[in-house]
Amino acid sequence: MHYTIDNITALIGARRFGSAEACIDWLLTDSRSLAFAETTLFFAIRTKLGDGHHYIPELYRRGVRNFVVGNVPANYETDYPDANFLLVVSPLKALQRLAERHREEYDLPIIGVTGSNGKTVVKEWLYQLLSPSMHVTRSPRSYNSQVGVPLSVWLLNEHTQVGVFEAGISQPGEMAALKAIIQPTIGVMTNIGPAHQENFATIQEKCLEKISLFKDADVIVYCADDAVISECMAVSLYTGDTIAWSTSNTDATLYIRSITKKADHTDIVYRFLGVENSMSIPFTDDASVQDSIHCLAVCLYLHLQPADIAQRMAQLEPVAMRLEVMQGVRGCTLINDTYNSDVTSLDIALDFMNRRPEQGNKPKTLILSDILQTGLSTTELYTQVADMIERRGIDRLIGVGPEISAAHALFNVKKVFFPTSDALTESGLLDTMSNEMVLIKGSRKFGFEQITAALSLRVHETTLDVNLEAIAENLNFYRSFMKPETKITCMVKASAYGAGSVEIAKTLQDRGVDYLAVAVADEGADLRRAGITTGIIVMNPEMTAFNTLFQYDLEPEVYSFKLLDALVHAAEKQGIQGFPVHIKLDTGMHRLGFNPLKDVPQIIERLKRQSAIVPRSVFSHFVGSDSPDFDEFSARQFQLFDEASQQLQRAFPNKILRHICNSAGIERFPERHLDMVRLGLGLYGIDPIDNRHLHNVTSLRTTILQIRNVPKGDSIGYSRRSFVERDSRIAAIPIGYADGLNRHLGNRNGYCLVNGQKAPYIGNICMDVCMIDVTGIDCKEGDTVEIFGDNLPVTVLSDKLDTIPYEVLTSVSNRVKRVYFQ
């Protein structure tokens, strides 16, 4: 549903500053998630961790023109001439109010899910069970907070037949706002546990707060065997229907007659309204069994046939949320659960660890942080934890945090404690772990990401010096060909052409580029972990990396129907809505891309029948924009692209960016810049039109390790490929083919510079060392050697090797230390 800025101003009771017309489709609270600036409304929310008002200048520069604020910028008329500022007392309350008004537009079943654990699993499984029969709108991922719930409910649209939304709270009074937004007709209470207990006087108080979400619901689903929930339901003022399922009360509306666990599945026999049926789920842990029964009750209430329920239950897929299993170093298997840390989820994670098929005889290690927000005393809490650890057969505990360290005496296993994550990583203990099953379980504040990262300090006397100011100067050179409104994507794939993607990306982000482009998802994830918030396009998304794309807000290129379908399926599985993608058309490169003459109608049809992904841009790639010899072909490419991309745009209301120009195209075809351009090799100082140097960015340097005198006639290096024809001085330098120095430069086929003079490579280039002839050069051990750089252009090497500068730049190994300067 589209809202005009006038509609929204009235709905949230704002005072408007600015008069620009606007239509709003997207709500934004985190600047890192910006995709569709033209139709986005940003809420400048203040939290303990930050103030959204600080991001207004950046967002305006990136194209956002509509803001809900607590205070209007002083010079808004001059600094933000095209913007609308909607002034409210609280942007957060305004966001919630807007979502509430939006929810009231829909009269359909809305399922609200709350509880201490299992909310996201129940929500996702309900989607899997219901979506074959109806169009389901659900919360993305675990959006269950005061901010996440309104963003979720905003996703309701004219196609929705049922909504499923989670609600999470951490203190009294929070549920009232979520109830007003969700307005559930069906309520599901998963369970009640100690998470976030510290803000509630009793567990009953917390349970009643959660039940208040369902005050006006038609029906509530819950487990009657849970004494706390049953007690609270009895004293609540709820007057609607209930489906209180039980494994012991034969008179229950939904009676679970038997639960039989097999090796790889669980059989469940149930009786509902006097009729007995059965189902099987492909899980055996207790949490999954309970979650599946909650889902069963909802499906029965919505009149799904038992046979359909059984068929779909058997096909349930695990929810990608936590408990990520990864291959570790030195034969370790890692279970990463750094999402949060409470007693209930710890028990689930320990149970999951025990059930891993690759466990074998590997010793089990638990790395555990302080468990926060339980409301229990330290002794009471860690007595429970110690009991869990002992029951689950943990061999070693590594505790992180002051509270768990203080409770060290309670644990009767091999143990060691550290005050912080930094203290653990600096201790060297992680470097000694091998062939273990390791569960990493920690609250977010402890930064356990560094524990899961493979960090090692490499010392090397060869360096790649990177001039960040040169990057900025090259960027400005190409911007001089562009109109101010044209957006720019900068290529930082292959570790920014060998220069190091993180520092380059930070420099480009500071210079206001609109997008960064990487080759694979892992490159983008590294940038996100390093604090990069600019939009990131993944040019070669792998089928196995979809979770990384979603987790780090990385926008993939889509070039085939197979990839399109797989991406939609993966996004729907995780509850993702409106995820931006970039459509690649093959207009002549014949590398990757859809056929612009045949495939566009089918692309449109497939995109329109789902809501998980949205086209953010459509693009192609010139084959020969660097040469006038190919201008006729470039013109045909552009015509193909122009027609196909406009056809795609006409099919969708949101703005779809069009781009085809690369570095050479920016310079030679300003009339074809369209909405955006892509800057690659030119950014790194090499003009692809004639290989001339702009501002040199990278210089590969090393030092002389040793100089020796070699008599005339002796050979140098492996296989005696080179001989000296005179008494010579031969220097050894610490760089080899493992560092990216091409072996074809050896045996006098190439040279480096020593104190400004040419020194040819002599002998075969070795893995870590090579030899150079410094006869007649005034030099000594320790002097600097330039492999390529300001005085020896990289194009000299690429010409010698009959290749392109890209290959030389991207060949520099990661073990070569990068040194950045301005």
Side-chain angles (χ1 to χ4, degrees), residues 439-460:
L439 170 60
I440 306 169
K441 179 73 173 164
S443 299
R444 282 179 174 171
K445 65 170 290 185
F446 286 91
F448 268 20
E449 292 84 1
Q450 64 180 296
I451 294 174
T452 60
L455 299 177
S456 60
L457 178 64
R458 295 184 175 96
V459 180
H460 207 271

Side-chain angles (χ1 to χ4, degrees), residues 90-110:
S90 167
L92 173 58
K93 295 297 182 184
L95 171 67
Q96 295 172 339
R97 181 177 176 83
L98 179 59
E100 182 180 341
R101 300 285 82 82
H102 181 66
R103 164 66 179 93
E104 290 169 354
E105 295 292 320
Y106 299 90
D107 181 16
L108 43 79
I110 299 291

Side-chain angles (χ1 to χ4, degrees), residues 613-635:
I613 66 173
V614 176
R616 176 49 177 156
S617 87
V618 56
F619 71 104
S620 190
H621 201 298
F622 280 127
V623 171
S625 58
D626 55 343
S627 173
D629 295 341
F630 306 120
D631 280 358
E632 184 178 345
F633 189 82
S634 295

Side-chain angles (χ1 to χ4, degrees), residues 557-559 582-597 599-600 603 617-622 637 640-646 648 659-660:
E557 167 188 318
V558 177
Y559 52 81
H582 302 262
I583 306 299
K584 176 71 174 289
L585 302 180
D586 175 17
T587 58
M589 176 75 77
H590 299 323
R591 183 171 59 183
L592 293 172
F594 292 100
N595 187 321
L597 295 175
D599 292 343
V600 175
I603 296 171
S617 87
V618 56
F619 71 104
S620 190
H621 201 298
F622 280 127
Q637 279 193 277
L640 273 176
F641 175 73
D642 189 39
E643 293 172 355
S645 61
Q646 289 197 52
L648 185 67
H659 50 112
I660 189 172

Side-chain angles (χ1 to χ4, degrees), residues 471-483:
I471 284 283
E473 291 171 346
N474 294 330
L475 174 64
N476 291 336
F477 171 77
Y478 283 95
R479 274 181 164 162
S480 70
F481 296 97
M482 298 163 49
K483 296 178 181 179

Side-chain angles (χ1 to χ4, degrees), residues 19 26 133 175 391 541 679 729 749 771:
S19 58
W26 307 91
S133 306
M175 192 60 86
R391 286 189 293 108
L679 180 57
R729 295 178 76 222
N749 291 319
M771 286 70 73

